Amino acid sequence: MTDTREQFRPDDHPNDHFLLTTVVGSYPKPEWHDTARELFEDPDSEFDVEDWEESKDDAARLITDEHERAGIDAVTDGEMRRNEMVEYFAHRIDGYEFNGRVKVWGHNYFDKPSVVDQVEYDEQWLVEEFEFTDEVADAPVKVPITGPYTLASWSFNEVYDDEEQLTYALADLVNQEIEALVEAGARYIQIDEPALATTPDDHAIVGEALERIVEDVPADVRLGLHVCYGDYSRIYPEILEFPVEELDLELANGDFEQVEVFKEHEFTKDFAMGVVDVHDAEVESVDQIKDNIKRGLEVVPPEQLTVSPDCGLKLLPREVAYQKMANMVEAAREIEAELDAGEIDVAADR
């Protein structure tokens, strides 16, 4: 595939080496934005659609700036307009309906949708979100989009013969949305498939779905796949065949034990490696994150390494999420300088 990394290197980048820094997507919402949602959903409140749209715009503007202040190379708006990674899209796809919340774990509930008719693409999903963020951001904008396999797996299927057929139908819709995003100017798109590593026999289904998704996407668009949870040995090296340039993987939460999985076969994609734990409110030091980044250099050379949190940061306190990002960026820049000086022995280059 075409190397698309250099388009995200800032013009004033201080080092010859470049480790692309980014985020997976979600970020803690400002408390006032949560209050605005509650007011908007309260039938007795005078907080109307115009007020709610203003709150979403203000939150997106604020969090995009927060990503840039942390120094992130490719930013998001923290998904300020989204409530959940499946619900958000199901509300915008014809053929879905909602019948109430189901318990996921602990005290967490999820409004699990049902597919009750053939799924069809009706309204755009993310184009306006991207256009707004791109307008207010100085840095390049990455667009995370939930993949068809997870959309299918985390829904009740009442229409299609099986989950595989539903996945392919949804993949065609994701392809339409990505075409619209590309037309709007998006050049970095991340497909989120957290369900993949939990069901090891379905990587072929995901591969076929991705083939449908990427059809006719221009070569200058960077396509990544984010996977978290599960045992990566169940899907590696098969995922190297997927038609994406970058594989984004959660590793910090498991103390990098699964890094060894990726040494058994040459990692031929770009490696977007989770180097801070989004499930731990303790902020990793710059030195600790540098050590984590070096684990990635055991798998791929610097020109293939992307530095990222494990997953979305939305469950953390906002000040913790920001400091994790800022320390992550500082660690990446220090590693780059040490690479320039020849002070790091890159195991992947041996």
PDB file of all heavy atoms in Angstrom, residues 133-148:
ATOM      1  N   THR A 133     -14.815  19.754  12.683  1.00  0.00           N
ATOM      2  CA  THR A 133     -13.526  19.556  13.356  1.00  0.00           C
ATOM      3  C   THR A 133     -12.376  20.006  12.470  1.00  0.00           C
ATOM      4  O   THR A 133     -11.426  20.650  12.931  1.00  0.00           O
ATOM      5  CB  THR A 133     -13.343  18.081  13.749  1.00  0.00           C
ATOM      6  OG1 THR A 133     -14.508  17.626  14.445  1.00  0.00           O
ATOM      7  CG2 THR A 133     -12.133  17.896  14.646  1.00  0.00           C
ATOM      8  N   ASP A 134     -12.456  19.693  11.191  1.00  0.00           N
ATOM      9  CA  ASP A 134     -11.411  20.090  10.251  1.00  0.00           C
ATOM     10  C   ASP A 134     -11.319  21.612  10.147  1.00  0.00           C
ATOM     11  O   ASP A 134     -10.227  22.172   9.981  1.00  0.00           O
ATOM     12  CB  ASP A 134     -11.710  19.475   8.880  1.00  0.00           C
ATOM     13  CG  ASP A 134     -10.534  19.590   7.924  1.00  0.00           C
ATOM     14  OD1 ASP A 134      -9.410  19.251   8.321  1.00  0.00           O
ATOM     15  OD2 ASP A 134     -10.758  20.028   6.781  1.00  0.00           O
ATOM     16  N   GLU A 135     -12.444  22.276  10.280  1.00  0.00           N
ATOM     17  CA  GLU A 135     -12.468  23.739  10.195  1.00  0.00           C
ATOM     18  C   GLU A 135     -11.815  24.377  11.416  1.00  0.00           C
ATOM     19  O   GLU A 135     -11.103  25.385  11.296  1.00  0.00           O
ATOM     20  CB  GLU A 135     -13.918  24.223  10.064  1.00  0.00           C
ATOM     21  CG  GLU A 135     -14.091  25.724  10.040  1.00  0.00           C
ATOM     22  CD  GLU A 135     -13.541  26.388   8.792  1.00  0.00           C
ATOM     23  OE1 GLU A 135     -13.456  25.692   7.746  1.00  0.00           O
ATOM     24  OE2 GLU A 135     -13.190  27.583   8.865  1.00  0.00           O
ATOM     25  N   VAL A 136     -12.045  23.806  12.607  1.00  0.00           N
ATOM     26  CA  VAL A 136     -11.528  24.436  13.827  1.00  0.00           C
ATOM     27  C   VAL A 136     -10.131  23.947  14.190  1.00  0.00           C
ATOM     28  O   VAL A 136      -9.457  24.557  15.023  1.00  0.00           O
ATOM     29  CB  VAL A 136     -12.479  24.207  15.027  1.00  0.00           C
ATOM     30  CG1 VAL A 136     -13.855  24.776  14.717  1.00  0.00           C
ATOM     31  CG2 VAL A 136     -12.566  22.742  15.424  1.00  0.00           C
ATOM     32  N   ALA A 137      -9.667  22.855  13.577  1.00  0.00           N
ATOM     33  CA  ALA A 137      -8.365  22.281  13.930  1.00  0.00           C
ATOM     34  C   ALA A 137      -7.252  22.847  13.058  1.00  0.00           C
ATOM     35  O   ALA A 137      -7.453  23.133  11.873  1.00  0.00           O
ATOM     36  CB  ALA A 137      -8.410  20.762  13.778  1.00  0.00           C
ATOM     37  N   ASP A 138      -6.082  23.004  13.651  1.00  0.00           N
ATOM     38  CA  ASP A 138      -4.882  23.315  12.875  1.00  0.00           C
ATOM     39  C   ASP A 138      -4.187  22.028  12.442  1.00  0.00           C
ATOM     40  O   ASP A 138      -3.562  21.977  11.391  1.00  0.00           O
ATOM     41  CB  ASP A 138      -3.918  24.161  13.715  1.00  0.00           C
ATOM     42  CG  ASP A 138      -4.464  25.560  13.986  1.00  0.00           C
ATOM     43  OD1 ASP A 138      -5.114  26.123  13.083  1.00  0.00           O
ATOM     44  OD2 ASP A 138      -4.244  26.072  15.093  1.00  0.00           O
ATOM     45  N   ALA A 139      -4.281  20.988  13.268  1.00  0.00           N
ATOM     46  CA  ALA A 139      -3.660  19.698  12.962  1.00  0.00           C
ATOM     47  C   ALA A 139      -4.578  18.873  12.057  1.00  0.00           C
ATOM     48  O   ALA A 139      -5.787  19.121  11.985  1.00  0.00           O
ATOM     49  CB  ALA A 139      -3.390  18.937  14.259  1.00  0.00           C
ATOM     50  N   PRO A 140      -4.036  17.863  11.364  1.00  0.00           N
ATOM     51  CA  PRO A 140      -4.880  16.948  10.596  1.00  0.00           C
ATOM     52  C   PRO A 140      -5.860  16.215  11.506  1.00  0.00           C
ATOM     53  O   PRO A 140      -5.573  15.957  12.675  1.00  0.00           O
ATOM     54  CB  PRO A 140      -3.873  15.971   9.977  1.00  0.00           C
ATOM     55  CG  PRO A 140      -2.558  16.674  10.012  1.00  0.00           C
ATOM     56  CD  PRO A 140      -2.595  17.557  11.221  1.00  0.00           C
ATOM     57  N   VAL A 141      -7.010  15.866  10.956  1.00  0.00           N
ATOM     58  CA  VAL A 141      -8.082  15.233  11.724  1.00  0.00           C
ATOM     59  C   VAL A 141      -8.224  13.776  11.311  1.00  0.00           C
ATOM     60  O   VAL A 141      -8.302  13.461  10.118  1.00  0.00           O
ATOM     61  CB  VAL A 141      -9.414  15.976  11.499  1.00  0.00           C
ATOM     62  CG1 VAL A 141     -10.571  15.244  12.183  1.00  0.00           C
ATOM     63  CG2 VAL A 141      -9.310  17.417  12.017  1.00  0.00           C
ATOM     64  N   LYS A 142      -8.259  12.900  12.303  1.00  0.00           N
ATOM     65  CA  LYS A 142      -8.547  11.484  12.059  1.00  0.00           C
ATOM     66  C   LYS A 142     -10.016  11.216  12.350  1.00  0.00           C
ATOM     67  O   LYS A 142     -10.577  11.763  13.305  1.00  0.00           O
ATOM     68  CB  LYS A 142      -7.668  10.588  12.941  1.00  0.00           C
ATOM     69  CG  LYS A 142      -7.949   9.106  12.748  1.00  0.00           C
ATOM     70  CD  LYS A 142      -6.883   8.221  13.365  1.00  0.00           C
ATOM     71  CE  LYS A 142      -7.073   8.038  14.835  1.00  0.00           C
ATOM     72  NZ  LYS A 142      -6.183   6.969  15.376  1.00  0.00           N
ATOM     73  N   VAL A 143     -10.642  10.363  11.545  1.00  0.00           N
ATOM     74  CA  VAL A 143     -12.061  10.038  11.724  1.00  0.00           C
ATOM     75  C   VAL A 143     -12.197   8.572  12.140  1.00  0.00           C
ATOM     76  O   VAL A 143     -11.937   7.673  11.341  1.00  0.00           O
ATOM     77  CB  VAL A 143     -12.859  10.270  10.431  1.00  0.00           C
ATOM     78  CG1 VAL A 143     -14.343   9.994  10.679  1.00  0.00           C
ATOM     79  CG2 VAL A 143     -12.656  11.686   9.909  1.00  0.00           C
ATOM     80  N   PRO A 144     -12.598   8.296  13.374  1.00  0.00           N
ATOM     81  CA  PRO A 144     -12.904   6.916  13.772  1.00  0.00           C
ATOM     82  C   PRO A 144     -14.337   6.564  13.370  1.00  0.00           C
ATOM     83  O   PRO A 144     -15.255   7.375  13.530  1.00  0.00           O
ATOM     84  CB  PRO A 144     -12.759   6.933  15.301  1.00  0.00           C
ATOM     85  CG  PRO A 144     -12.285   8.324  15.666  1.00  0.00           C
ATOM     86  CD  PRO A 144     -12.653   9.212  14.539  1.00  0.00           C
ATOM     87  N   ILE A 145     -14.523   5.348  12.874  1.00  0.00           N
ATOM     88  CA  ILE A 145     -15.853   4.901  12.475  1.00  0.00           C
ATOM     89  C   ILE A 145     -16.012   3.443  12.892  1.00  0.00           C
ATOM     90  O   ILE A 145     -15.119   2.625  12.664  1.00  0.00           O
ATOM     91  CB  ILE A 145     -16.071   5.087  10.955  1.00  0.00           C
ATOM     92  CG1 ILE A 145     -17.471   4.641  10.535  1.00  0.00           C
ATOM     93  CG2 ILE A 145     -15.014   4.361  10.142  1.00  0.00           C
ATOM     94  CD1 ILE A 145     -17.816   5.030   9.091  1.00  0.00           C
ATOM     95  N   THR A 146     -17.110   3.107  13.533  1.00  0.00           N
ATOM     96  CA  THR A 146     -17.328   1.734  13.973  1.00  0.00           C
ATOM     97  C   THR A 146     -17.483   0.820  12.769  1.00  0.00           C
ATOM     98  O   THR A 146     -18.231   1.115  11.837  1.00  0.00           O
ATOM     99  CB  THR A 146     -18.571   1.633  14.874  1.00  0.00           C
ATOM    100  OG1 THR A 146     -18.407   2.523  15.984  1.00  0.00           O
ATOM    101  CG2 THR A 146     -18.754   0.222  15.400  1.00  0.00           C
ATOM    102  N   GLY A 147     -16.761  -0.290  12.796  1.00  0.00           N
ATOM    103  CA  GLY A 147     -16.761  -1.208  11.665  1.00  0.00           C
ATOM    104  C   GLY A 147     -17.998  -2.087  11.605  1.00  0.00           C
ATOM    105  O   GLY A 147     -18.716  -2.272  12.593  1.00  0.00           O
ATOM    106  N   PRO A 148     -18.246  -2.689  10.446  1.00  0.00           N
ATOM    107  CA  PRO A 148     -19.481  -3.451  10.239  1.00  0.00           C
ATOM    108  C   PRO A 148     -19.562  -4.729  11.064  1.00  0.00           C
ATOM    109  O   PRO A 148     -20.657  -5.146  11.453  1.00  0.00           O
ATOM    110  CB  PRO A 148     -19.462  -3.762   8.744  1.00  0.00           C
ATOM    111  CG  PRO A 148     -18.007  -3.705   8.366  1.00  0.00           C
ATOM    112  CD  PRO A 148     -17.434  -2.609   9.214  1.00  0.00           C
TER     113      PRO A 148
END
